[in-house]
Amino acid sequence: MNGVSVTDQNAAIALTPDEIVAQSLALAVKSHDEGDLAEAEKLYRAILSFQPTQPDALHGMGVIAHQCKQDEVSEQLLRAALEQRSDPTFHNNLALVLLELDRPHEALREVYRALELRTHYPAAYNALGAIQEKLHLRAEATESYKKATELNPAYAAAHSNLGKVLYEIGRSADSEKACDRALELTPACPEALNLKGNLLRMKGVFKKALDYFDRALEARPVCAEIYNNKALTLKAMKRLNEALVAARCAIACEASFAPAIVTLGAILMDQGKLTEAIEQFEMAIACDPENVEAYNNLGSALIQSDRTDEGIEAYERAIELSEEIVATQKKYDMACLLYTRFSYEKALDAFNSALADMPNFVAAKNNVGVAMQNLGMTEEALDAYEQAISLDPKFSAAYSNKLMGMQYSDRYTNADVLELARRFGAHFDRPDPRGFADRDRSPERKLRIGYISGDFNCHPVGFFALPAVSGHDHGRFEITCYYACDTDDEVTAYFRRFADRWRPVTSKSDDEIAEMVREDEIDILVDLNGHTAKTRLTSLGLKPAPIQVHWVGFTGTTGMSTIDYLILDPVSAPPGADKWYAESLVRLPYGRFSYVPMVQELVRAEPPCLSRGYVTFGSFNNITKITDEVFEVWAQIVLAVPGSRLLLKSRALVEEKVRERFIAKFEALGLPLDRLEFRGAGHYRGMLAEYNDMDIALDPYPFGGATTSCDAMLMGVPVITLPSDRLASRQTACFYANMGVEGFVATSRQDYIDRAVALANDPERLREVRKMLPDALIAAPFTDSAKFTARLEDAYRAMWRKFAAGEPAAPITIEAEEATA
């Protein structure tokens, strides 16, 4: 009809073999791009059955094998493709496979070949960056990823990888920019979502971080790395059971993924399951023998399990595997952990090792001093603190440690202490200019009292402060406790119970604490640490409360102009002592402490000398208080009483080298080992019972006992003490003055010796004192918490009245009379 026959119309168009292959290849590539790997593989195989050396089909099969984690097969297929044609894409993909096979140097050769064939090849630069990261060439990797993004600004994966390497080298702000760009381009990019979550986690924005990890898991449901990061975030939030689930999910995704196994172990360690944690860390090492964090955490768990030598060995392996600066930090971390486990000698060695790597490592220099001080090497410790201050004149911990250490040494005067304290104050007094013009100054209104301390727990400061804090009149005073420690024990529970508000501030910065105090509208902020461990004194330098006070924690001046008052008593601060303090002194009538026995049911024995036939002198004080002069005096006392013994109990005495040093010192003074006994620390009730093994307690000087003196007297053991012009030396004398007990306060070194020897030679008096002292202690006004707290509240009210009247801080003396409403 139109000149075309039916036969011609239906005739098949004949295709050449090359055209058949081309069409099949196009279909295979389309299926491959759409993620239908089964269909793509079927088509690639069909092509190869027809043309066994077809390079594009070999390449496609190689890529599928890689995607299915069959990298050895992938390598063979890609190399077969390259034998047929030297193609930049083939070289680049082979490089990625070789990288996955942990052969980065071979991968490097392939990617460079790809770039020779195609100079402007974004994917090759992206692959190059990944290889350089594997070789720890992070600066070079950064440049490679940047080049990839320059060549293709819409390359989301390259932006994400750039963000990742910037994150790893500590350039968080730049990392976040790259990450955000990747998410603009591809909002569901799992790598970028994961990175964003990590960036938020490192900022402490945990809830938002979890949202990003969950979004990343929606995009890639089976990913060990993302689950692991989620677990780390939940761990940081202390949601340990959920963290455990996430870590196990990570391991389910990839059984040999060492980072997740390490995370699981770390969570178990946080739960106190040290044995299980150790098993996980060892498993991680079996999966990855060079996993630094596995060795690091294994060392920590072993040391906490009292397998110290094994722990140090694991830490040392972590240090060997780490880059130089990281290795130094790990030495420091190991030293800190050893210190917390009271392995002071080993901690000192590790701190010194860190310093050998980095001589200007100020925190390590400071902690060398801390370790030395706990080993009784006070003078050497003081020199270390001064060196730390020289390295960094604004390193607050070194000032505080030296100021505390000076209390133990007879090498310094009150004037020396005041001078250093004022240096501290000059650096850290920086009051908020906002002031308190809008504060209600009604003199008799209800006051908001804030107590800030890291010792609201089973600690001497906690024991002394709790009776007063728990006894406040909540009709006249509102109490807020700012707690700067994670320890939570039975004493903490009491503090929390008696506080109107409880504010954990361990992880807060000085500025955050100060703002919290301002928002709580605290009228009088009372510091209970001063220059002791866990202090947050520098936050008071911002002057967040109109009246600021130091009480209990420290035995000297803070040196800060922002601290208005220091609470003492007439014995601790006799007339003329005010000149040694930067603060105005408040003198309470019954002493500066309130002591209430934490254990009520006690078994007191008669003086042990009555049954043993010899006198036991002793001290349960920190050995840091034992100066060279105290060694001499104590040796003279023991040698002057035939057959007598000296019992010393302190945590550091578990260290063999410490005992050896003490034995050598005493033997050099003529006191043999058979007249010495050393004991380590124990629980509180057991420690009290050990006073039944002592006849006479010897108070060290110039830093005498406080809790130890009260505990000794509670058990009926008299304490011979020698006060001087130093506050730290007058604590026991203050207790005796308020107990109405005489006869145990010496006036000189020789008088100290004479009183101890005379008492040792009078067993009948020892028997009488044993019965009299506990009653006198319990009857003393400083053990009457209601009476003591009323006087303390009088002091707070007197401070407030001065402020309300617009008067500056000035000395206050509180009389021993009933509190007025």
Side-chain angles (χ1 to χ4, degrees), residues 314-558:
Y315 258 116
E316 287 175 344
R317 180 61 181 142
I319 290 163
E320 286 174 16
L321 293 168
S322 299
E323 297 173 23
E324 185 176 346
I325 191 165
V326 176
T328 303
Q329 182 64 45
K330 291 197 179 300
K331 289 179 184 179
Y332 176 80
D333 292 344
M334 175 177 70
C336 290
L337 179 60
L338 288 165
Y339 175 82
T340 64
R341 302 298 297 176
F342 314 113
S343 294
Y344 300 130
E345 289 278 2
K346 290 183 171 70
L348 180 58
D349 289 343
F351 284 129
N352 278 324
S353 180
L355 277 170
D357 293 346
M358 192 185 299
N360 293 332
F361 194 167
V362 65
K365 176 59 73 174
N366 174 68
N367 284 353
V368 161
V370 173
M372 285 177 164
Q373 194 166 327
N374 279 277
L375 290 166
M377 302 163 64
T378 300
E379 301 305 329
E380 296 91 333
L382 289 166
D383 291 341
Y385 298 142
E386 187 57 41
Q387 290 171 37
I389 292 169
S390 298
L391 288 171
D392 182 357
K394 291 191 176 182
F395 190 72
S396 64
Y399 287 95
S400 290
N401 285 332
K402 184 171 184 184
L403 284 163
M404 190 67 197
M406 290 167 84
Q407 309 300 317
Y408 297 96
S409 173
D410 48 20
R411 184 171 124 194
Y412 299 93
T413 65
N414 282 326
D416 295 326
V417 174
L418 179 60
E419 186 275 331
L420 181 61
R422 288 197 185 280
R423 280 170 58 194
F424 173 87
H427 283 297
F428 300 105
D429 277 322
R430 44 198 178 96
D432 191 315
R434 285 177 286 179
F436 305 95
D438 59 347
R439 189 64 55 98
D440 178 0
R441 299 196 180 209
S442 303
E444 308 307 318
R445 71 169 173 81
K446 185 175 182 177
L447 296 178
R448 294 187 179 94
I449 309 297
Y451 290 100
I452 181 167
S453 179
D455 296 321
F456 294 135
N457 49 48
C458 191
H459 182 279
V461 169
F463 294 155
F464 282 132
L466 180 59
V469 173
S470 65
H472 275 304
D473 179 350
H474 288 262
R476 299 169 61 226
F477 300 91
E478 181 182 276
I479 307 303
T480 302
C481 288
Y482 300 92
Y483 189 32
C485 183
D486 291 327
T487 300
D488 198 330
D489 57 27
E490 63 275 16
V491 178
T492 312
Y494 276 112
F495 274 107
R496 190 184 287 110
R497 173 184 169 189
F498 291 111
D500 295 294
R501 286 181 293 193
W502 184 261
R503 300 278 195 253
V505 297
T506 309
S507 61
K508 303 292 184 185
S509 68
D510 287 349
D511 288 337
E512 288 172 326
I513 292 174
E515 199 56 38
M516 191 182 294
V517 171
R518 275 190 167 275
E519 289 174 359
D520 289 339
E521 295 187 330
I522 298 300
D523 298 311
I524 301 176
L525 182 61
V526 185
D527 165 61
L528 302 180
N529 278 107
H531 293 289
T532 64
K534 301 187 288 291
T535 183
R536 298 309 304 266
L537 197 56
T538 50
S539 66
L540 276 75
L542 294 164
K543 191 68 169 177
I547 298 172
Q548 299 194 148
V549 183
H550 174 66
W551 175 49
V552 179
F554 184 56
T555 54
T557 180
T558 65

Side-chain angles (χ1 to χ4, degrees), residues 132-133 136-143 145-146 161-175 195 199 323 325:
Q132 288 165 332
E133 275 198 86
H136 305 293
L137 303 171
R138 293 194 181 100
E140 292 85 345
T142 301
E143 294 307 312
Y145 290 135
K146 280 183 181 177
N161 288 337
L162 174 60
K164 182 173 179 288
V165 74
L166 288 168
Y167 169 81
E168 289 170 351
I169 62 176
R171 291 171 56 184
S172 298
D174 292 334
S175 172
L195 174 59
L199 287 161
E323 297 173 23
I325 191 165

Side-chain angles (χ1 to χ4, degrees), residues 735-755:
F735 297 135
Y736 279 135
N738 284 285
M739 291 164 60
V741 171
E742 299 179 348
F744 306 116
V745 180
T747 57
S748 67
R749 167 177 168 157
Q750 189 57 50
D751 187 38
Y752 180 95
I753 295 169
D754 292 344
R755 286 176 187 271

Side-chain angles (χ1 to χ4, degrees), residues 549-551 565-581 583-593 727 730 734 738 788 790-796 798-799 802 810-817:
V549 183
H550 174 66
W551 175 49
Y565 295 99
L566 176 62
I567 296 176
L568 297 175
D569 60 81
V571 177
S572 297
D578 298 64
K579 64 186 176 184
W580 305 125
Y581 300 92
E583 308 84 356
S584 294
L585 298 189
V586 176
R587 291 175 171 87
L588 299 181
Y590 308 129
R592 66 191 187 102
F593 297 130
L727 169 57
R730 304 183 70 80
C734 181
N738 284 285
F788 182 91
R791 303 288 79 74
L792 182 64
E793 290 178 344
D794 285 346
Y796 291 156
M799 296 173 197
K802 283 184 178 294
I812 296 171
T813 298
I814 303 299
E815 301 297 334
E817 59 183 19

